[in-house]
Amino acid sequence: MPTRVIPKPDAGAERTIRWSRVVSFVLVALAAIVLSLRPELFGDPQHQPAHALLHVWRIVVGLTLAVAALGVQVVVGVRWRRDLRRAAEDDGDPPGNRAPADR
């Protein structure tokens, strides 16, 4: 059974994919930095009653950055797939798989 063949992206799509990878890498790196921050960097916990919030905000911000990195990849992938379908419809090919007899 033949495998699916995905066409190579055009120049514009390659730039978008490269850009999305850079943005995702930066977001993941920032998430790692935020998650690795130690609350002691922000002062003595005995003098700051809201010290527990520092634990919470760094976790929330770190996870939000990581989810944003994933979101960038998903959005770029969905857009690229939509453009491929649109290009196939413009060529007259129906989207999706064709029956083996049609190949």
Side-chain angles (χ1 to χ4, degrees):
M1 178 178 237
T3 61
R4 285 187 170 179
V5 176
I6 297 176
K8 185 175 176 164
D10 60 350
E14 282 184 4
R15 280 192 306 275
T16 303
I17 291 169
R18 191 175 312 118
W19 172 84
S20 70
R21 287 179 180 162
V22 169
V23 170
S24 292
F25 177 79
V26 169
L27 288 171
V28 167
L30 285 174
I33 291 169
V34 169
L35 287 171
S36 68
L37 289 176
R38 298 180 65 177
E40 293 84 25
L41 294 174
F42 302 105
D44 185 19
Q46 301 299 326
H47 297 302
Q48 292 182 349
H51 190 72
L53 292 177
L54 293 174
H55 289 287
V56 174
W57 80 262
R58 69 184 179 94
I59 293 170
V60 170
V61 170
L63 292 178
T64 302
L65 288 169
V67 169
L70 179 63
V72 167
Q73 292 300 305
V74 168
V75 167
V76 168
V78 167
R79 245 191 232 165
W80 182 55
R81 186 176 176 106
R82 184 191 63 214
D83 291 343
L84 284 177
R85 286 181 186 260
R86 208 176 278 156
E89 288 173 358
D90 291 344
D91 292 342
D93 293 336
N97 292 335
R98 293 177 295 192
D102 295 342
R103 292 184 189 161

